[in-house]
Amino acid sequence: MDNFKFEVVFPALILGRFLLALAPLPDSLKHDHQLTSPLTAYPRLQEGLYLFSQGIDPYSGGIFRHSPLYLAIFSTAIPLTKLTTAFLWTASDAVSAWALVRIWRARQRLSSSSRDALIATLYLINPYTFLPTLALSSSTFENTLLLLSVMFASEGQTSPSLLALAFLSQLSLHGMLLLVPVLLLLITDPISHLAAPRPFSASFKTLAFPAGEFFVYFSVLTFVSTLVCGSWAWVEQSWGAMVLLPDLTPNVGLWWYFFTEMFDHFRPFFLMVFSVHLLIYVLPLCIKFQHDMLYVVFLMAGVLATFKPYPTLSDPGLFLSMISLFPETYPHLRHPLVTALLHLHSALLLPLFHHLWLSQGTGNANFFYASTLVFGMSNGAALLDSVWSGLRVAVGRVPDGLEVVQE
Amino acid sequence: MLGGRYLKIGLILNLCTTLTLGHILNEDFHETLDLRPLPDGRLLSAFSFTTLLKEAIPRDPETLGSEDETQHYTLFPLALGQVLREYAVTELHMSLNAGKWDYDRWGYPEDPGVGTGAELWAYMGDSSAVSVDARWRGLRNALAGLFCASLGSLDDQRTTSPSLTFRPEGSFPQWTSASNHQLRHATLPSENVCTENLTPFLKLLPCKGLSGIASLLNPHRLFDSDWHGLSVHVRYLRDHGVEVRLNFQAVSDPVRYSVHGKRDWSLSSVFDRTIHSSCRVASSSMIRVARPTEKTAVVSPEPPSKSEDYAIFDLSDTATPLDISMQWQDESKFIYPLASSSSPLTPISVQRTLKGSIQSQGRLSVVITNHLPITIQTSYLETMPWLLQFYLHSLRTYHNGISRDDLVSIVSYTPPVPHLRPTLFQAVLTLPPKGTLHLSMDVMKPFLRYTEHPPDAERGWNLPPAVFVPLISNTTSSSKVASELNVADVDFRRLSRRIYTPVLLVDLATPDFSMPYNVIIMSCTLIALIFGSVFNLLTRKFVVVRVNQDSKPATRSPVPELKN
Amino acid sequence: MHAIRQRIRNVLRGNGDRNATRLQRRRALGTLIWSRLPELRLLLLLVGFAWILLIPSPLLGQSTFIDENALHPGQVNTYWNWGDVHQADLYLAQLEQLRDQNATSKQIAAHVSEEFRKLGIPSATQDYVYQTSQESYNGTNAYAVFSSPRGSGAEATLISAPWLSHTEDALNLRGVATVLALAAFLKGYSLWAKDFIFVISSGQLDGMQAFITTYYGEEPSNLIAEPLTLPSGVIWVALNIDYPGHSFSHLGIFFEGINGRLPNQDLHNSVQLISRHTGGVPVVLYDHLDPRDQPWREAELSIIPSWVPASLKKMSFVQEYAYRAKNLVRHVGYQARGKASGVHGLLHRFRIDAITLYAVPATGPHGFHAIGRIMESSLRTINNLLERLHASFFFYLLVNATTFLKIGFFLPAAIILSVAMMFSGLYEWINAAWYKTVVPRSEEKTETTELTWVERPRPVLDALLVIGATHTAGVGLFYFITLPAVVVNHRIISPVLFIISLLLPLAALPLFKQTSPGASPLWQVLKAFNLCLASTVVSVTCVLNFSLACTTAATLSIPLIFSSPSTSLPLKVVKYAFYMLLGFGWMVFATEEVRSAIWHWELMGIWFAPFICIVYTPLVLQAALVSILPL
């Protein structure tokens, strides 16, 4: 693998992806519940655009939940046709892969490395990121923005990074959770200090300005979106959905069945608990890994992939692809094969049980629910493995007869 | 005062026996029964009981706050009158139907409201006193109580105001306060109709089910027919008064009843009853028998009066007991017409189906055929609950296989809001002569909370019928139309009446109803597990332990603390 | 008291450092499992195969019962009488005329639909043309929709009879006559809650396939079919009549659908009960008459081989076992290949529970009268349904008409085998990471050397590449053999293809040279992944299609588990030949099977062919590579 040249592999893969995107495949995938969520599904985007063009407020109904920015872009600049969509989504993935490579280079302080091709490939042929792109799920753009933001941050370019992050948070509110690590990454460096942890050096005062900058960008974008659709209705429809879960369409996450089966009088409470639970992870991770903010970003991606209200396969896809940035942790992974097998099983079970429940009618909802549980487990296992190995690296190899444990 | 009123009523009842009331009271009551043999051997019987309250004006909603005037009715149904005045309803139409009206074989019904299940629509004046929606809620609950039908569940999730299709049939009163009227419409296709609805219906008639034409309403036979429905229509006619029309229609199959498969019928064979006495308070009671084109069909007894295509019996001057019958003398057995030979009875015919068997999406397909040699405009109405959500951008139109999206013009579209509001889709279609229009649209099937499913969740949900109204302009040559549809004179008002499609059944994916606790437990466990282990890893500190095979107490050396 | 607690604590966590003891315990456990793994693996294999053999035994299985309370099978009086039988005979006479003047499918359809219209039931015909790579099918279906009195037309029940009988090349004349007479009969009653759709489909499977796909608005690229002019509602249940003979002795029930989908068992159970009690007709599975009922035909009916001693043959256990085994083999034959055992099987895809009622030809005693009553009573039962049949009665093994196995009793057979594969996969994975070498002890006084385990890197990426490559090759193979040109002159191409696929891996062999000196050999990692993959495939397929999963597990478990490279060339050759035969043999030795598999794939999208090409063959190919890779 390593002997492949990045300059060869990268364009080749992009080309292949583009051709596949032109094939009739997307039409059969774009309704798939695992690849698209109510917030990212392409048919809903089309519907919203259609209503918008007809002068009907797309947010007055319950179908369209995308950000108004999409309306602004796709109704004016870029009309959605077979060709443009294929190009846009493929390009977006290309940018993501490229950003991933740039992050790797920044982390290694290299202008190019033998590993570039591998990293790009792992992102581009990862089915979890690949299939949602074919299904034209807008979560692809979210991944791209995240990686761009991180890339700029690790290259020390404050404004672009914060702008990308602001866009991300605009499209999917959970981007906010990455604000702290990205800010800290901006004032530290992306180089791996996992092996040699050190206390946080930079001063927090320098944070004030970037933070302010971010909020300026964010509020400007919010204002623009309000201008686009002429009212604040979109906030409740698009952001509100991420907290209130009005649409119970099945997805690979843990929320939908929980709140399908939830007693009505407990709904608000558990909605609150689930949303807050996402916030809990940010600070502890930042403190524990204060020496390597990039790793925190990586772990947060894992947390989001596991606990997001409306995840698609591309969220775990991003997390798994980012593993390729941290080879130093591989020797210390606890159960790589078990995690891999869990993922293999759930990756096969999800579509199968979805088919049994909704198409064939021989299985009931519990089948698919069970497979999402397995999927949650496999994501959790991956997350735990990375946390462990990220900490374990610091101790380094120990001679025979010695064991490293926690107490 | 009150006593006086009872005294008065008692007095009136005395008078009833002697002479008809129509003249002294300003109410009169007409009853008619239309009997029409249908091309496929069935028999349509349409009862109609009309009470006119002269010089009456619907209540002005502005006066809802204040005391209402007392209501003295003798023929006019008091129970209904009270409801009307309580909620200041200007015009009201309610129908409860069972079965699927087959326009292609039966033609137009006498009473246009034949949508399967329950349908209720009303025009009410705006008011500052009580809002229209509040009165709408009250009205449907009151009617639910009055007719023992579950009209109460025609809630906001099913209420729309499709003003294009449902035009007022009467006129609006000129109140002092210039207020405009609003339409409220709702359908409940899964409501089935049976004798518990007929009994209160009969109670509203002056002669109940005892005498006159109403005595033919025999539940045992009516509810064994192929199609039946009852309806209530209240409208205000300027300088006449308030008119209440109670209709009952039934399509029965004499061929099924007869042993030899003949289509001969008689009142006794169809209703298992004959008319023994006329209703004395009725100012007119007519039985009109439509005479089929075949001359071999003989009506007996000999009708006192005939029009060219009707035999008319007036109960007031015919001998009772009356048992009208019709025989086709040359027929030993009814030969069904082969579908190809029968010419269309309606200008258009519509098929509406839900394609696909997957529980997450499907495709709605509507096929409209124009039988006339002229271009027809028709309005198309969908009042779809949020149980089926349209992808309007995927609406495609084909005319004889060629894509013609220009033939559809969308008048108004209100997207559905989950758990809250139905879709309202109104469009006008242009049907080229003698052509077939194919509409298709992707639809999405939502996923419900487990508390929102009905007890028989696996059955699915009935979806209301779509309604079409052909808009035929009188300018088009009537002779051509007449030659097409085998009707003598083309009454355009009759041609441009509502056409209801059959209802649809959509099955939505169901969760497991026995699972709530298990799901809460399992999901929470998983989350707690991951959460716990992550923080476990984050908080505990590393130590290096010497593990030697012989179980000596192991020595240990903590890793130097990572941070200080 | 306290002392006791103290002692327990000592036993539990030892007297030293807690972590150390915990680790020691963990290591001890690890080594225990590790050392016993080979035996455990063998044990699992043994149990798995034993379980498979146990499935037909009379010890397992429970008698069928009705789960859906609304059904009330056989609780009604039936009104089908000799008049209706006469009607059926009249229809039969007309149909026989058509047969004698061997009428085209179009004429037949026209005639049938006119008969429906004479009954006052709206009917129509549907022309269709199917293009498959082998030949093109065209025909005409006749169908009629009887809308029930006071029914909203939202629900419907489908009653069908194909023109050709499914089992042998007989015409299903009596079946069609039954449907026509039934239509006339049903119209006389007003108690029906659902519409009836009568379908007389032309051909064997293609006609119904054309009808049902059009009904549900699918447009397969290789099908040109007239749109249906008579719409109706959602179909929940369908009954298909197959009555080729003159009269019948038993009612056979066929239930397998395409891609291994089974109808809700309640349907089978109700019809079975009704047939026995209302119709007085004994019920069997398929056309398998029980040899114990007809001793004079034992030779042809029983599957007990002749060499079995008579004493054993007479044992009721053995006879029951043989009978059940016969049914199961037939069942697996249909399900594993994803084939529909009748026209009903095509409907399952659309969430319609359907079975075929097959009148097993015999010289008597039953005829139109019996089947009419069975149909009437069954339809009354279906008419009672307020909901779709939904109790999770879709996973079962019917061993005979009245006995079935719950999922818990047969699933473990396959699961255990897959667990065995998983374990040996993990075993190889760990093996790959460690190797024993001699390292000089770094102690000053003695020069003794001892064996110690040394860790080494694993060529994970290369192994993944190989696996990816094999499966991609599988996809390529599938698309190649489904090319029309290839399908047509299959006879010539397949041997060539076999040779090529035999040589290709050998040609690719030089690519797999030892990647990095320290690393573990490729074959080990490859084998580990191969086993894990196979195990996953089996355990996942179990729920969808047990027969397929079980057959795959039984075929693959042993060869994959014991695949290993060898130093001696002849041994290598033998192993390689064996695996290639296992993986690619079907190309040359089962050409007919291949043809029909491809046909089913094109016509009905049955994914047996793709499964073999894309999943099964590559798995075996990987094992073959393991056997020839350098040690």
Side-chain angles (χ1 to χ4, degrees), chain A residues 3-289:
Chain A
N3 46 20
F4 288 143
K5 292 234 56 62
F6 175 68
E7 292 72 14
V8 184
V9 175
F10 190 62
L13 283 171
I14 301 297
L15 186 63
R17 297 274 307 257
F18 183 63
L19 294 180
L20 261 176
L22 287 177
L25 207 54
D27 305 330
S28 50
L29 291 179
K30 68 185 178 190
H31 289 285
D32 190 291
H33 287 150
Q34 293 125 70
L35 308 181
T36 64
S37 77
L39 274 57
T40 65
Y42 183 64
R44 294 174 183 252
L45 177 59
Q46 282 179 301
E47 180 71 4
L49 287 168
Y50 177 80
L51 295 181
F52 192 62
S53 67
Q54 296 292 311
I56 304 165
D57 176 10
Y59 295 100
S60 64
I63 291 188
F64 182 66
R65 299 188 183 279
H66 289 66
S67 154
L69 296 180
Y70 289 115
L71 286 182
I73 297 167
F74 292 130
S75 60
T76 57
I78 314 153
L80 289 178
T81 67
K82 180 89 181 161
L83 194 64
T84 53
T85 50
F87 177 76
L88 266 180
W89 264 263
T90 316
S92 163
D93 260 3
V95 174
S96 313
W98 175 244
L100 209 54
V101 172
R102 288 268 294 272
I103 296 170
W104 161 255
R105 288 173 178 173
R107 186 173 174 80
Q108 299 300 318
R109 288 263 174 79
L110 293 168
S111 62
S112 84
S113 79
S114 62
R115 202 177 158 78
D116 295 351
L118 177 62
I119 291 175
T121 319
L122 282 186
Y123 187 87
L124 288 174
I125 67 167
N126 178 350
Y128 286 175
T129 53
F130 179 21
L131 294 173
T133 307
L134 278 187
L136 304 177
S137 156
S138 62
S139 54
T140 306
F141 297 127
E142 294 166 15
N143 283 358
T144 312
L145 284 169
L146 194 157
L147 285 171
L148 277 179
S149 161
V150 175
M151 178 190 87
F152 286 126
S154 43
E155 290 174 351
Q157 312 184 34
T158 312
S159 306
S161 155
L162 292 176
L163 190 60
L165 192 62
F167 267 104
L168 173 62
S169 325
Q170 190 66 38
L171 303 187
S172 131
L173 211 49
H174 293 102
M176 283 281 198
L177 295 181
L178 295 165
L179 178 58
V180 178
V182 167
L183 283 177
L184 293 177
L185 179 56
L186 270 169
I187 60 171
T188 56
D189 54 6
I191 300 142
S192 171
H193 300 292
L194 288 172
R198 53 171 194 185
F200 190 75
S201 51
S203 80
F204 288 99
K205 293 188 195 58
T206 50
L207 278 183
F209 181 69
E213 191 179 354
F214 170 80
F215 283 110
V216 170
Y217 289 144
F218 186 71
S219 37
V220 166
L221 285 175
T222 315
F223 182 65
V224 168
S225 339
T226 315
L227 282 187
V228 167
C229 64
S231 78
W232 289 94
W234 66 272
V235 176
E236 196 249 338
Q237 282 296 313
S238 145
W239 287 354
M242 298 173 196
V243 186
L244 302 175
L245 209 82
D247 192 324
L248 294 171
T249 308
N251 57 40
V252 294
L254 295 169
W255 287 48
W256 67 275
Y257 202 55
F258 189 80
F259 287 102
T260 305
E261 295 274 10
M262 175 53 60
F263 311 106
D264 287 336
H265 44 281
F266 284 139
R267 194 174 298 275
F269 170 72
F270 275 103
L271 281 171
M272 192 267 291
V273 171
F274 273 45
S275 309
V276 171
H277 167 246
L278 276 169
L279 302 175
I280 293 179
Y281 291 90
V282 183
L283 283 183
L285 286 175
C286 288
I287 294 168
K288 189 72 179 183
F289 288 96

Side-chain angles (χ1 to χ4, degrees), chain B residues 224-226 351 458-459 507, chain C residues 150 155 190 229 351 388:
Chain B
D224 185 40
S225 59
D226 284 13
Q351 289 176 7
E458 294 291 334
R459 179 178 183 278
D507 48 357
Chain C
R150 300 182 307 285
E155 306 154 43
S190 68
T229 54
R351 304 180 55 222
R388 201 182 271 282

Side-chain angles (χ1 to χ4, degrees), chain B residues 99-100 105 223-226 228 256 336 339 351 353 355-356 359 363 456-459 505 507 547-548 554, chain C residues 20 24 117-120 122 150-151 155 187-188 190 195 215-217 229 231 234 350-351 386-388 390:
Chain B
K100 161 176 77 176
R105 285 172 189 76
F223 295 118
D224 185 40
S225 59
D226 284 13
H228 62 76
R256 182 165 22 110
Y336 285 95
Q351 289 176 7
T353 47
K355 302 289 190 188
Q359 282 171 299
R363 209 174 75 249
D456 55 351
E458 294 291 334
R459 179 178 183 278
L505 184 73
D507 48 357
V547 188
N548 32 19
Chain C
Q24 280 168 357
R117 240 176 276 127
K118 281 182 191 160
L119 294 171
R150 300 182 307 285
E155 306 154 43
K187 194 171 183 305
S190 68
D195 290 3
Y215 189 89
Y216 278 96
T229 54
V234 180
F350 303 94
R351 304 180 55 222
L386 298 174
E387 298 185 72
R388 201 182 271 282
H390 60 278

Side-chain angles (χ1 to χ4, degrees), chain C residues 86-201:
Chain C
H86 176 62
Q87 189 64 32
D89 287 326
L90 295 181
Y91 282 125
L92 179 60
Q94 298 172 347
L95 294 174
E96 276 164 344
Q97 272 184 2
L98 283 171
R99 176 199 58 194
D100 299 341
Q101 69 210 209
N102 49 34
T104 65
S105 152
K106 207 174 194 52
Q107 292 165 328
I108 295 164
H111 171 80
V112 171
S113 85
E114 185 173 353
E115 287 304 321
F116 276 119
R117 240 176 276 127
K118 281 182 191 160
L119 294 171
I121 301 177
S123 73
T125 63
Q126 181 200 25
D127 298 342
Y128 66 90
V129 182
Y130 259 111
Q131 285 298 344
T132 75
S133 55
Q134 297 167 33
E135 65 241 73
S136 82
Y137 300 80
N138 58 356
T140 311
N141 299 324
Y143 65 98
V145 176
F146 165 55
S147 43
S148 59
R150 300 182 307 285
S152 66
E155 306 154 43
T157 304
L158 189 144
I159 303 168
S160 68
W163 182 251
L164 293 178
S165 167
H166 186 69
T167 47
E168 64 264 17
D169 280 347
L171 292 185
N172 183 17
L173 296 181
R174 281 180 169 71
V176 178
T178 313
V179 171
L180 280 165
L182 209 57
F185 170 78
L186 297 177
K187 194 171 183 305
Y189 295 87
S190 68
L191 47 77
W192 304 114
K194 303 172 171 59
D195 290 3
F196 287 113
I197 306 175
F198 305 97
V199 181
I200 307 300
S201 63

